[in-house]
Short mmCIF file of all heavy atoms in Angstrom, two decimals:
data_model
loop_
_atom_site.label_atom_id
_atom_site.label_comp_id
_atom_site.label_asym_id
_atom_site.label_seq_id
_atom_site.Cartn_x
_atom_site.Cartn_y
_atom_site.Cartn_z
N MET A 1 47.52 145.49 111.06
CA MET A 1 46.42 146.26 110.59
C MET A 1 46.68 146.89 109.26
O MET A 1 45.84 146.92 108.40
CB MET A 1 46.13 147.42 111.56
CG MET A 1 44.77 147.97 111.38
SD MET A 1 43.53 146.83 111.82
CE MET A 1 42.24 147.77 112.31
N GLN A 2 47.94 147.34 109.00
CA GLN A 2 48.24 147.89 107.64
C GLN A 2 48.09 146.85 106.64
O GLN A 2 47.69 147.08 105.50
CB GLN A 2 49.73 148.45 107.74
CG GLN A 2 50.03 149.12 106.37
CD GLN A 2 51.43 149.64 106.39
OE1 GLN A 2 52.13 149.41 107.40
NE2 GLN A 2 51.86 150.37 105.47
N ALA A 3 48.49 145.49 106.79
CA ALA A 3 48.36 144.52 105.77
C ALA A 3 46.91 144.30 105.49
O ALA A 3 46.62 144.09 104.25
CB ALA A 3 48.98 143.27 106.33
N ARG A 4 46.04 144.37 106.29
CA ARG A 4 44.58 144.29 106.08
C ARG A 4 44.09 145.41 105.03
O ARG A 4 43.44 145.22 104.09
CB ARG A 4 43.79 144.32 107.35
CG ARG A 4 42.31 144.04 107.16
CD ARG A 4 41.59 143.96 108.45
NE ARG A 4 40.18 144.14 108.22
CZ ARG A 4 39.37 145.07 108.76
NH1 ARG A 4 40.08 146.00 109.46
NH2 ARG A 4 38.16 145.17 108.56
N ARG A 5 44.58 146.62 105.39
CA ARG A 5 44.29 147.80 104.52
C ARG A 5 44.79 147.58 103.11
O ARG A 5 44.13 147.90 102.12
CB ARG A 5 44.66 149.13 105.19
CG ARG A 5 43.78 149.48 106.26
CD ARG A 5 44.00 150.85 106.68
NE ARG A 5 45.35 151.31 106.79
CZ ARG A 5 46.10 151.36 107.87
NH1 ARG A 5 45.56 151.25 109.06
NH2 ARG A 5 47.47 151.77 107.85
N ARG A 6 46.10 147.19 103.15
CA ARG A 6 46.71 146.96 101.80
C ARG A 6 45.95 145.87 100.93
O ARG A 6 45.73 146.08 99.77
CB ARG A 6 48.12 146.53 102.05
CG ARG A 6 48.91 146.50 100.69
CD ARG A 6 50.45 146.01 100.94
NE ARG A 6 51.00 146.84 101.97
CZ ARG A 6 51.76 146.24 102.94
NH1 ARG A 6 51.92 144.92 102.98
NH2 ARG A 6 52.26 146.95 103.91
N HIS A 7 45.49 144.79 101.55
CA HIS A 7 44.75 143.80 100.86
C HIS A 7 43.44 144.25 100.32
O HIS A 7 43.08 144.04 99.16
CB HIS A 7 44.53 142.54 101.77
CG HIS A 7 45.79 141.75 102.08
ND1 HIS A 7 45.78 140.41 102.05
CD2 HIS A 7 47.07 142.13 102.27
CE1 HIS A 7 47.04 139.93 102.36
NE2 HIS A 7 47.84 141.00 102.47
N LEU A 8 42.78 145.10 101.24
CA LEU A 8 41.54 145.60 100.77
C LEU A 8 41.79 146.66 99.67
O LEU A 8 40.96 146.68 98.67
CB LEU A 8 40.84 146.30 101.93
CG LEU A 8 39.44 146.84 101.68
CD1 LEU A 8 38.52 145.77 101.18
CD2 LEU A 8 38.89 147.44 102.88
N TYR A 9 42.78 147.44 99.67
CA TYR A 9 43.13 148.34 98.62
C TYR A 9 43.39 147.69 97.33
O TYR A 9 42.81 148.01 96.29
CB TYR A 9 44.40 149.17 98.95
CG TYR A 9 44.90 150.11 97.94
CD1 TYR A 9 44.21 151.31 97.61
CD2 TYR A 9 45.91 149.72 97.11
CE1 TYR A 9 44.64 152.15 96.56
CE2 TYR A 9 46.37 150.56 96.11
CZ TYR A 9 45.67 151.79 95.85
OH TYR A 9 46.18 152.66 94.83
N PHE A 10 44.19 146.62 97.30
CA PHE A 10 44.44 145.90 96.05
C PHE A 10 43.29 145.18 95.52
O PHE A 10 43.06 145.00 94.38
CB PHE A 10 45.64 144.96 96.31
CG PHE A 10 47.00 145.59 96.21
CD1 PHE A 10 47.79 145.70 97.34
CD2 PHE A 10 47.35 146.35 95.12
CE1 PHE A 10 49.03 146.19 97.24
CE2 PHE A 10 48.64 147.01 95.04
CZ PHE A 10 49.41 147.08 96.18
N ALA A 11 42.40 144.64 96.46
CA ALA A 11 41.10 144.17 96.03
C ALA A 11 40.14 145.07 95.32
O ALA A 11 39.63 144.78 94.29
CB ALA A 11 40.40 143.40 97.12
N LEU A 12 40.19 146.28 95.87
CA LEU A 12 39.32 147.33 95.22
C LEU A 12 39.95 147.74 93.88
O LEU A 12 39.15 147.93 92.87
CB LEU A 12 39.25 148.60 96.15
CG LEU A 12 38.24 148.36 97.34
CD1 LEU A 12 38.52 149.52 98.41
CD2 LEU A 12 36.86 148.29 96.91
N MET A 13 41.18 147.92 93.83
CA MET A 13 41.80 148.30 92.57
C MET A 13 41.80 147.23 91.52
O MET A 13 41.63 147.49 90.36
CB MET A 13 43.26 148.85 92.80
CG MET A 13 43.30 150.14 93.58
SD MET A 13 42.36 151.38 92.93
CE MET A 13 43.26 151.83 91.44
N GLY A 14 41.91 146.01 91.88
CA GLY A 14 41.68 144.84 91.05
C GLY A 14 40.29 144.74 90.43
O GLY A 14 40.06 144.50 89.32
N THR A 15 39.39 145.04 91.38
CA THR A 15 37.95 145.07 90.89
C THR A 15 37.77 146.26 89.88
O THR A 15 37.08 146.09 88.91
CB THR A 15 36.99 145.34 92.04
OG1 THR A 15 37.18 144.26 93.02
CG2 THR A 15 35.56 145.37 91.70
N CYS A 16 38.38 147.36 90.08
CA CYS A 16 38.27 148.50 89.21
C CYS A 16 38.81 148.14 87.75
O CYS A 16 38.12 148.35 86.77
CB CYS A 16 39.04 149.68 89.80
SG CYS A 16 39.07 151.12 88.81
N VAL A 17 39.98 147.60 87.77
CA VAL A 17 40.65 147.18 86.54
C VAL A 17 39.74 146.09 85.82
O VAL A 17 39.56 146.20 84.60
CB VAL A 17 42.09 146.83 86.76
CG1 VAL A 17 42.60 146.17 85.45
CG2 VAL A 17 42.91 147.95 87.23
N GLY A 18 39.32 145.14 86.65
CA GLY A 18 38.48 144.11 86.01
C GLY A 18 37.17 144.63 85.43
O GLY A 18 36.77 144.17 84.36
N LEU A 19 36.56 145.60 86.07
CA LEU A 19 35.35 146.20 85.50
C LEU A 19 35.62 146.89 84.20
O LEU A 19 34.89 146.74 83.25
CB LEU A 19 34.75 147.20 86.54
CG LEU A 19 33.92 146.64 87.60
CD1 LEU A 19 33.54 147.71 88.63
CD2 LEU A 19 32.63 145.96 86.99
N PHE A 20 36.78 147.65 84.16
CA PHE A 20 37.09 148.32 82.89
C PHE A 20 37.39 147.31 81.69
O PHE A 20 36.82 147.40 80.70
CB PHE A 20 38.33 149.26 82.96
CG PHE A 20 38.00 150.57 83.50
CD1 PHE A 20 38.56 151.01 84.69
CD2 PHE A 20 37.25 151.45 82.77
CE1 PHE A 20 38.34 152.28 85.09
CE2 PHE A 20 36.94 152.67 83.20
CZ PHE A 20 37.49 153.10 84.38
N VAL A 21 38.11 146.28 82.01
CA VAL A 21 38.45 145.36 80.96
C VAL A 21 37.20 144.56 80.53
O VAL A 21 36.93 144.38 79.37
CB VAL A 21 39.59 144.38 81.46
CG1 VAL A 21 39.80 143.19 80.62
CG2 VAL A 21 40.93 145.02 81.76
N LEU A 22 36.38 144.07 81.52
CA LEU A 22 35.29 143.36 81.25
C LEU A 22 34.19 144.25 80.45
O LEU A 22 33.54 143.78 79.51
CB LEU A 22 34.64 142.79 82.48
CG LEU A 22 33.42 141.86 82.40
CD1 LEU A 22 33.89 140.61 81.78
CD2 LEU A 22 32.92 141.56 83.81
N ALA A 23 34.11 145.47 80.79
CA ALA A 23 33.12 146.35 80.18
C ALA A 23 33.45 146.53 78.60
O ALA A 23 32.68 146.45 77.81
CB ALA A 23 33.13 147.76 80.80
N TRP A 24 34.77 146.83 78.44
CA TRP A 24 35.07 147.14 76.96
C TRP A 24 35.54 145.86 76.14
O TRP A 24 35.58 146.03 74.96
CB TRP A 24 36.09 148.18 76.88
CG TRP A 24 35.46 149.50 77.49
CD1 TRP A 24 35.86 150.10 78.58
CD2 TRP A 24 34.36 150.19 76.91
NE1 TRP A 24 34.94 151.21 78.78
CE2 TRP A 24 34.11 151.25 77.68
CE3 TRP A 24 33.62 149.94 75.72
CZ2 TRP A 24 33.02 152.11 77.49
CZ3 TRP A 24 32.54 150.91 75.47
CH2 TRP A 24 32.26 151.88 76.38
N ALA A 25 35.69 144.82 76.79
CA ALA A 25 36.19 143.66 76.11
C ALA A 25 34.98 142.68 75.84
O ALA A 25 35.02 141.94 74.80
CB ALA A 25 37.25 142.83 76.75
N VAL A 26 33.98 142.67 76.76
CA VAL A 26 32.90 141.70 76.57
C VAL A 26 31.57 142.27 76.50
O VAL A 26 30.78 142.09 75.64
CB VAL A 26 32.87 140.73 77.78
CG1 VAL A 26 31.82 139.74 77.70
CG2 VAL A 26 34.27 139.97 77.84
N VAL A 27 31.22 143.30 77.54
CA VAL A 27 29.92 143.71 77.74
C VAL A 27 29.52 144.73 76.60
O VAL A 27 28.34 144.70 76.13
CB VAL A 27 29.79 144.46 79.16
CG1 VAL A 27 28.36 145.05 79.33
CG2 VAL A 27 30.09 143.39 80.19
N ARG A 28 30.44 145.49 75.99
CA ARG A 28 30.13 146.40 74.93
C ARG A 28 29.57 145.74 73.72
O ARG A 28 28.85 146.36 72.93
CB ARG A 28 31.30 147.29 74.57
CG ARG A 28 32.31 146.56 73.79
CD ARG A 28 33.38 147.51 73.26
NE ARG A 28 34.47 146.69 72.67
CZ ARG A 28 34.44 146.26 71.48
NH1 ARG A 28 33.57 146.51 70.72
NH2 ARG A 28 35.56 145.61 71.03
N ILE A 29 29.85 144.48 73.54
CA ILE A 29 29.33 143.79 72.38
C ILE A 29 27.79 143.64 72.50
O ILE A 29 27.12 143.84 71.46
CB ILE A 29 29.96 142.31 72.32
CG1 ILE A 29 31.46 142.39 72.10
CG2 ILE A 29 29.29 141.51 71.28
CD1 ILE A 29 32.21 141.11 72.20
N TRP A 30 27.31 143.44 73.69
CA TRP A 30 25.88 143.37 73.86
C TRP A 30 25.16 144.64 74.21
O TRP A 30 24.07 144.92 73.79
CB TRP A 30 25.53 142.31 74.90
CG TRP A 30 25.84 140.97 74.50
CD1 TRP A 30 25.13 140.12 73.56
CD2 TRP A 30 27.02 140.22 74.89
NE1 TRP A 30 25.77 138.99 73.43
CE2 TRP A 30 26.93 138.93 74.23
CE3 TRP A 30 28.04 140.41 75.71
CZ2 TRP A 30 27.98 137.95 74.28
CZ3 TRP A 30 28.98 139.48 75.75
CH2 TRP A 30 28.93 138.33 75.21
N SER A 31 25.85 145.52 75.03
CA SER A 31 25.17 146.75 75.40
C SER A 31 26.19 147.83 75.77
O SER A 31 27.00 147.64 76.75
CB SER A 31 24.25 146.51 76.60
OG SER A 31 23.83 147.70 77.18
N VAL A 32 26.17 148.83 74.99
CA VAL A 32 27.18 149.92 75.18
C VAL A 32 26.80 150.72 76.43
O VAL A 32 27.67 151.09 77.30
CB VAL A 32 27.22 150.80 74.01
CG1 VAL A 32 28.04 152.10 74.32
CG2 VAL A 32 27.81 150.09 72.86
N GLN A 33 25.44 150.80 76.72
CA GLN A 33 25.00 151.56 77.92
C GLN A 33 25.47 150.83 79.16
O GLN A 33 25.92 151.52 80.20
CB GLN A 33 23.47 151.71 77.95
CG GLN A 33 23.10 152.72 76.91
CD GLN A 33 22.81 151.97 75.60
OE1 GLN A 33 22.98 150.74 75.43
NE2 GLN A 33 22.51 152.86 74.54
N ALA A 34 25.41 149.49 79.22
CA ALA A 34 25.88 148.72 80.38
C ALA A 34 27.39 148.86 80.53
O ALA A 34 27.87 148.89 81.63
CB ALA A 34 25.44 147.31 80.24
N ALA A 35 28.12 148.83 79.52
CA ALA A 35 29.56 149.10 79.58
C ALA A 35 29.95 150.45 80.09
O ALA A 35 30.77 150.58 80.92
CB ALA A 35 30.24 148.89 78.18
N ILE A 36 29.24 151.50 79.70
CA ILE A 36 29.33 152.82 80.24
C ILE A 36 29.10 152.83 81.63
O ILE A 36 29.79 153.48 82.54
CB ILE A 36 28.66 153.80 79.34
CG1 ILE A 36 29.21 153.95 78.05
CG2 ILE A 36 28.66 155.19 80.13
CD1 ILE A 36 28.47 154.77 76.99
N ALA A 37 28.01 152.22 82.12
CA ALA A 37 27.58 152.20 83.48
C ALA A 37 28.73 151.50 84.33
O ALA A 37 29.04 151.87 85.45
CB ALA A 37 26.32 151.42 83.71
N MET A 38 29.25 150.38 83.83
CA MET A 38 30.25 149.69 84.59
C MET A 38 31.48 150.58 84.69
O MET A 38 32.24 150.61 85.72
CB MET A 38 30.68 148.42 83.80
CG MET A 38 29.67 147.35 83.88
SD MET A 38 29.93 145.90 82.80
CE MET A 38 31.45 145.29 83.61
N CYS A 39 31.85 151.31 83.65
CA CYS A 39 32.99 152.31 83.73
C CYS A 39 32.71 153.39 84.76
O CYS A 39 33.72 153.86 85.43
CB CYS A 39 33.30 152.85 82.38
SG CYS A 39 34.12 151.63 81.32
N VAL A 40 31.47 153.94 84.86
CA VAL A 40 31.17 154.84 85.77
C VAL A 40 31.39 154.29 87.31
O VAL A 40 31.92 155.00 88.14
CB VAL A 40 29.77 155.42 85.67
CG1 VAL A 40 29.30 156.19 86.77
CG2 VAL A 40 29.63 156.16 84.32
N VAL A 41 30.88 153.04 87.50
CA VAL A 41 31.19 152.47 88.84
C VAL A 41 32.67 152.29 89.05
O VAL A 41 33.14 152.53 90.09
CB VAL A 41 30.45 151.06 88.79
CG1 VAL A 41 30.80 150.39 90.05
CG2 VAL A 41 28.86 151.23 88.76
N ALA A 42 33.41 151.83 87.97
CA ALA A 42 34.78 151.65 88.15
C ALA A 42 35.50 152.99 88.45
O ALA A 42 36.55 153.06 89.09
CB ALA A 42 35.42 150.93 86.91
N MET A 43 34.99 154.02 87.92
CA MET A 43 35.52 155.36 88.18
C MET A 43 35.46 155.85 89.72
O MET A 43 36.30 156.57 90.10
CB MET A 43 34.85 156.42 87.16
CG MET A 43 35.40 157.74 87.20
SD MET A 43 34.67 158.78 85.97
CE MET A 43 32.94 158.88 86.66
N VAL A 44 34.46 155.36 90.31
CA VAL A 44 34.25 155.81 91.73
C VAL A 44 35.12 154.99 92.61
O VAL A 44 35.38 155.46 93.70
CB VAL A 44 32.68 155.63 92.01
CG1 VAL A 44 32.43 155.79 93.47
CG2 VAL A 44 31.81 156.44 91.17
N ILE A 45 35.53 153.84 92.25
CA ILE A 45 36.34 152.94 93.14
C ILE A 45 37.75 153.44 93.53
O ILE A 45 38.06 153.41 94.77
CB ILE A 45 36.45 151.52 92.56
CG1 ILE A 45 35.03 150.92 92.52
CG2 ILE A 45 37.34 150.69 93.27
CD1 ILE A 45 34.99 149.49 91.78
N PRO A 46 38.45 154.03 92.68
CA PRO A 46 39.87 154.48 93.22
C PRO A 46 39.89 155.60 94.32
O PRO A 46 40.70 155.43 95.21
CB PRO A 46 40.51 155.06 91.87
CG PRO A 46 39.89 154.28 90.81
CD PRO A 46 38.50 154.12 91.14
N PRO A 47 38.95 156.60 94.32
CA PRO A 47 39.00 157.48 95.49
C PRO A 47 38.62 156.71 96.79
O PRO A 47 39.10 157.00 97.85
CB PRO A 47 37.97 158.51 95.13
CG PRO A 47 37.89 158.49 93.64
CD PRO A 47 38.17 157.11 93.16
N CYS A 48 37.68 155.77 96.63
CA CYS A 48 37.32 155.12 97.87
C CYS A 48 38.44 154.13 98.29
O CYS A 48 38.73 153.96 99.46
CB CYS A 48 35.99 154.17 97.57
SG CYS A 48 34.61 155.13 97.24
N ALA A 49 39.16 153.68 97.38
CA ALA A 49 40.33 152.73 97.70
C ALA A 49 41.44 153.62 98.34
O ALA A 49 42.14 153.13 99.30
CB ALA A 49 40.88 152.10 96.43
N ALA A 50 41.62 154.76 97.93
CA ALA A 50 42.61 155.73 98.61
C ALA A 50 42.16 156.01 100.01
O ALA A 50 43.05 156.12 100.92
CB ALA A 50 42.84 156.96 97.66
N ILE A 51 41.02 156.21 100.11
CA ILE A 51 40.44 156.55 101.51
C ILE A 51 40.62 155.38 102.42
O ILE A 51 41.01 155.52 103.58
CB ILE A 51 38.99 157.02 101.43
CG1 ILE A 51 38.86 158.32 100.81
CG2 ILE A 51 38.30 157.00 102.88
CD1 ILE A 51 37.46 158.79 100.40
N VAL A 52 40.35 154.18 101.92
CA VAL A 52 40.50 152.96 102.81
C VAL A 52 42.03 152.82 103.10
O VAL A 52 42.32 152.45 104.18
CB VAL A 52 39.96 151.75 101.98
CG1 VAL A 52 40.37 150.43 102.60
CG2 VAL A 52 38.37 151.79 102.02
N ALA A 53 42.81 152.93 102.07
CA ALA A 53 44.25 152.71 102.30
C ALA A 53 44.97 153.73 103.22
O ALA A 53 45.78 153.32 104.00
CB ALA A 53 45.05 152.70 100.96
N ASN A 54 44.43 154.91 103.36
CA ASN A 54 44.95 155.95 104.21
C ASN A 54 44.28 156.11 105.58
O ASN A 54 44.60 157.05 106.28
CB ASN A 54 44.99 157.28 103.43
CG ASN A 54 45.98 157.25 102.36
OD1 ASN A 54 47.16 156.74 102.48
ND2 ASN A 54 45.64 157.63 101.15
N ARG A 55 43.26 155.30 105.78
CA ARG A 55 42.50 155.47 107.04
C ARG A 55 43.42 155.09 108.21
O ARG A 55 44.20 154.18 108.09
CB ARG A 55 41.25 154.52 106.96
CG ARG A 55 40.42 154.58 108.14
CD ARG A 55 39.19 153.69 107.96
NE ARG A 55 39.74 152.31 107.62
CZ ARG A 55 39.01 151.36 107.09
NH1 ARG A 55 37.87 151.60 106.63
NH2 ARG A 55 39.51 150.11 106.94
N ARG A 56 43.23 155.74 109.29
CA ARG A 56 44.01 155.47 110.46
C ARG A 56 43.41 154.54 111.33
O ARG A 56 42.19 154.57 111.59
CB ARG A 56 44.19 156.77 111.28
CG ARG A 56 44.94 156.64 112.61
CD ARG A 56 45.11 157.97 113.38
NE ARG A 56 45.75 157.63 114.61
CZ ARG A 56 45.90 158.44 115.52
NH1 ARG A 56 45.42 159.77 115.39
NH2 ARG A 56 46.54 158.16 116.72
N GLY A 57 44.17 153.46 111.69
CA GLY A 57 43.69 152.43 112.59
C GLY A 57 43.93 152.88 114.09
O GLY A 57 44.67 153.82 114.35
N PRO A 58 43.30 152.15 114.91
CA PRO A 58 43.39 152.45 116.36
C PRO A 58 44.75 152.25 116.93
O PRO A 58 45.20 152.92 117.80
CB PRO A 58 42.37 151.63 117.02
CG PRO A 58 42.07 150.57 116.10
CD PRO A 58 42.30 151.00 114.72
N ASP A 59 45.58 151.36 116.30
CA ASP A 59 46.91 151.06 116.79
C ASP A 59 47.98 151.52 115.84
O ASP A 59 49.27 151.21 116.05
CB ASP A 59 47.12 149.55 117.00
CG ASP A 59 46.81 148.71 115.82
OD1 ASP A 59 46.28 149.35 114.83
OD2 ASP A 59 47.18 147.63 115.79
N ASP A 60 47.66 152.35 114.90
CA ASP A 60 48.73 153.01 114.09
C ASP A 60 49.40 154.13 114.65
O ASP A 60 48.92 154.92 115.44
CB ASP A 60 47.99 153.51 112.70
CG ASP A 60 47.54 152.37 111.79
OD1 ASP A 60 48.09 151.23 112.00
OD2 ASP A 60 46.64 152.70 110.99
N ARG A 61 50.73 154.23 114.34
CA ARG A 61 51.57 155.30 114.79
C ARG A 61 51.71 156.31 113.66
O ARG A 61 51.82 155.92 112.48
CB ARG A 61 52.95 154.79 115.24
CG ARG A 61 52.80 153.91 116.47
CD ARG A 61 54.13 153.74 117.12
NE ARG A 61 54.55 155.02 117.57
CZ ARG A 61 55.95 155.27 117.76
NH1 ARG A 61 56.79 154.47 117.59
NH2 ARG A 61 56.25 156.52 118.11
N TRP A 62 51.64 157.51 113.97
CA TRP A 62 51.77 158.59 112.94
C TRP A 62 53.03 159.34 113.11
O TRP A 62 53.69 159.34 114.12
CB TRP A 62 50.54 159.47 112.94
CG TRP A 62 49.27 158.82 112.44
CD1 TRP A 62 48.48 157.98 113.03
CD2 TRP A 62 48.89 158.75 111.03
NE1 TRP A 62 47.56 157.51 112.29
CE2 TRP A 62 47.75 157.98 111.00
CE3 TRP A 62 49.37 159.35 109.89
CZ2 TRP A 62 47.05 157.68 109.84
CZ3 TRP A 62 48.64 159.18 108.75
CH2 TRP A 62 47.52 158.29 108.65
N TRP A 63 53.46 160.08 112.12
CA TRP A 63 54.69 160.86 112.09
C TRP A 63 54.85 161.75 113.24
O TRP A 63 55.94 162.00 113.81
CB TRP A 63 54.91 161.50 110.85
CG TRP A 63 53.85 162.56 110.60
CD1 TRP A 63 52.66 162.40 109.96
CD2 TRP A 63 53.97 164.02 110.90
NE1 TRP A 63 52.02 163.50 109.89
CE2 TRP A 63 52.71 164.54 110.47
CE3 TRP A 63 54.88 164.75 111.47
CZ2 TRP A 63 52.52 165.88 110.57
CZ3 TRP A 63 54.67 166.09 111.63
CH2 TRP A 63 53.44 166.61 111.26
N ASP A 64 53.78 162.33 113.78
CA ASP A 64 53.82 163.37 114.85
C ASP A 64 53.83 162.67 116.26
O ASP A 64 54.04 163.42 117.24
CB ASP A 64 52.76 164.41 114.69
CG ASP A 64 51.34 163.76 114.78
OD1 ASP A 64 51.18 162.49 114.70
OD2 ASP A 64 50.39 164.55 114.88
N GLU A 65 53.66 161.43 116.39
CA GLU A 65 53.65 160.83 117.69
C GLU A 65 55.18 160.37 118.01
O GLU A 65 55.90 159.84 117.19
CB GLU A 65 52.75 159.61 117.75
CG GLU A 65 51.30 159.91 117.58
CD GLU A 65 50.35 158.69 117.62
OE1 GLU A 65 51.03 157.56 117.57
OE2 GLU A 65 49.23 158.92 117.55
N LYS A 66 55.44 160.55 119.24
CA LYS A 66 56.86 160.19 119.70
C LYS A 66 56.79 159.04 120.59
O LYS A 66 55.97 158.89 121.40
CB LYS A 66 57.53 161.34 120.37
CG LYS A 66 57.65 162.48 119.53
CD LYS A 66 58.88 162.49 118.68
CE LYS A 66 58.91 163.66 117.82
NZ LYS A 66 59.83 163.85 116.90
#
């Protein structure tokens, strides 16, 4: 279960980095407003990725369980 969360985390963070790079390398040439909107969307992704990565699964063991 942890591997699935890790893959989803890296996919979300890769999307975030991709949006930033695409926004300021390509999209800003045609539309600065669109590039800013893409960066705002990319800014929301890291907290969501952290929540996904730290979510407890039904079969996960935690530090306080013996």
